[in-house]
Amino acid sequence: MRTDNEILTEGIFYLSEAIKNLPSLSTLNLYNNKIGDDGAIHLSNGIKNLPSLTSLDIGFDDIGERGIKELSESLKTLASLTTLKIYSNRFGSSGMQYLAEGIKGLSSLALLDLHYNKIGEDGALHLSECVKHLSSLTYLDIDSNNIGPGGMKHLSEGLKTRPLLQTLDIHFNELGVTGAHHLSETIKHLPSLSFLDLHHNKIGNEGTEHLCEGLQYTVSLTSLNLNDNKIDDHGFSYLDDNLMNLTSLKVLILSDNKMGDQSKQTFKNLAKEMNFKLVS
């Protein structure tokens, strides 16, 4: 179904009534339609009748805690759902608690996009408990949620149980050194991880050292983004020492750090030798 049409609340009511008669509907994309909490409640009534729904996109829809609470009850009924995109709303940590309860029984869910929802540290705890139940999860995007090091510690416990995870986007979350340490312990348990976006997390040199301890276990990693992390040549020396272990690497992003000429040349040589794209 079409997206970005500014359907708004009244339109969602009529749409929800219509889809009740479409039990074979598999994809519903309502991205950027500003449905709000009232629209989410109407939508909740409609999707209860969609047993074949596999993909739902309700990003940029101005849904808050009240809307997520109602919607989450209906999400429990979507046993076929494999893709849920619910990014850039405003439901916060309390809304994350409702959502976690709503989706934890969806054993087929493979892709979960929650970026920019302001879930914070408490929301990361709720998400972590939910992730423990999502046995098919391969893709998780929680960028720009301000979970901090405490949130990363919470989330780590859930992610360690998801060995099939291939994509983890956790950029812009203020992880710092401590968060990088928790992330490093996490990725030791993610042998299938192929994409890791950690940019803008202020991990610094010490955080890079911690991260490299975990990277030794990510033999499937193809893309690593460390852009804008306050890393200088000292930190890059840790990465240099461990990079040869990443035999599947295709893209390495190190831009907007404090890389000196010698480090730049070192990584250019490694990129040529290992055949990956370097952005520095």
Side-chain angles (χ1 to χ4, degrees), residues 15-230:
L15 176 65
S16 298
E17 290 299 306
I19 63 177
K20 289 179 181 179
N21 299 311
L22 299 174
S24 299
L25 188 69
S26 62
T27 300
L28 181 58
N29 189 338
L30 294 172
Y31 163 81
N32 197 19
N33 276 291
K34 304 174 184 176
I35 67 174
D37 286 341
D38 291 336
I41 293 170
H42 292 319
L43 179 63
S44 175
N45 292 327
I47 63 174
K48 291 177 181 177
N49 301 278
L50 301 178
S52 300
L53 196 68
T54 60
S55 178
L56 176 62
D57 187 339
I58 44 177
F60 278 104
D61 273 326
D62 199 28
I63 303 172
E65 180 182 339
R66 183 168 62 91
I68 286 294
K69 181 179 181 180
E70 294 297 324
L71 195 59
S72 294
E73 289 301 310
S74 294
L75 288 173
K76 294 177 181 179
T77 70
L78 303 181
S80 299
L81 199 67
T82 61
T83 298
L84 177 59
K85 298 180 179 181
I86 194 166
Y87 49 87
S88 297
N89 286 288
R90 52 182 177 82
F91 51 77
S93 60
S94 297
M96 187 66 242
Q97 183 174 10
Y98 292 125
L99 181 62
E101 284 298 312
I103 66 176
K104 70 179 183 181
L106 303 181
S107 59
S108 296
L109 193 65
L111 185 153
L112 179 59
D113 188 344
L114 293 167
H115 76 260
Y116 200 66
N117 278 302
K118 302 180 181 180
I119 69 172
E121 180 176 336
D122 290 341
L125 174 60
H126 299 310
L127 176 59
S128 179
E129 291 302 311
C130 170
V131 163
K132 292 176 183 178
H133 299 272
L134 301 179
S135 57
S136 299
L137 193 67
T138 60
Y139 181 111
L140 179 63
D141 185 343
I142 56 165
D143 80 70
S144 307
N145 270 293
N146 196 31
I147 68 171
M152 188 64 243
K153 181 179 181 180
H154 294 317
L155 189 58
S156 176
E157 295 305 309
L159 290 176
K160 287 177 182 177
T161 69
R162 297 278 63 88
L164 299 179
L165 193 72
Q166 298 173 7
T167 295
L168 179 59
D169 189 339
I170 198 165
H171 77 261
F172 222 128
N173 270 294
E174 302 290 333
L175 297 188
V177 174
T178 304
H181 171 69
H182 294 310
L183 177 62
S184 177
E185 291 300 307
T186 304
I187 62 178
K188 291 178 182 179
H189 299 266
L190 302 178
S192 301
L193 191 68
S194 63
F195 179 97
L196 178 60
D197 189 341
L198 191 59
H199 83 260
H200 199 86
N201 269 293
K202 302 178 183 178
I203 68 172
N205 294 337
E206 188 177 351
T208 303
E209 182 179 14
H210 290 311
L211 181 66
C212 287
E213 293 172 3
L215 289 176
Q216 298 177 41
Y217 298 82
T218 57
V219 294
S220 299
L221 197 69
T222 61
S223 180
L224 175 63
N225 189 345
L226 294 175
N227 168 266
D228 192 17
N229 266 295
K230 299 186 181 298

Side-chain angles (χ1 to χ4, degrees), residues 221-279:
L221 197 69
T222 61
S223 180
L224 175 63
N225 189 345
L226 294 175
N227 168 266
D228 192 17
N229 266 295
K230 299 186 181 298
I231 308 169
D232 62 24
D233 289 341
H234 183 61
F236 284 125
S237 68
Y238 297 122
L239 187 60
D240 173 19
D241 290 341
N242 288 273
L243 208 59
M244 294 300 291
N245 295 320
L246 304 181
T247 55
S248 299
L249 194 66
K250 298 300 180 185
V251 178
L252 178 62
I253 302 174
L254 303 176
S255 49
D256 296 320
N257 286 291
K258 300 176 181 179
M259 181 182 286
D261 291 340
Q262 183 173 349
S263 291
K264 286 182 180 179
Q265 189 58 53
T266 296
F267 281 97
K268 284 181 180 178
N269 293 341
L270 283 169
K272 183 176 181 179
E273 179 180 352
M274 297 176 63
N275 194 31
F276 64 78
K277 179 182 178 181
L278 175 67
V279 180

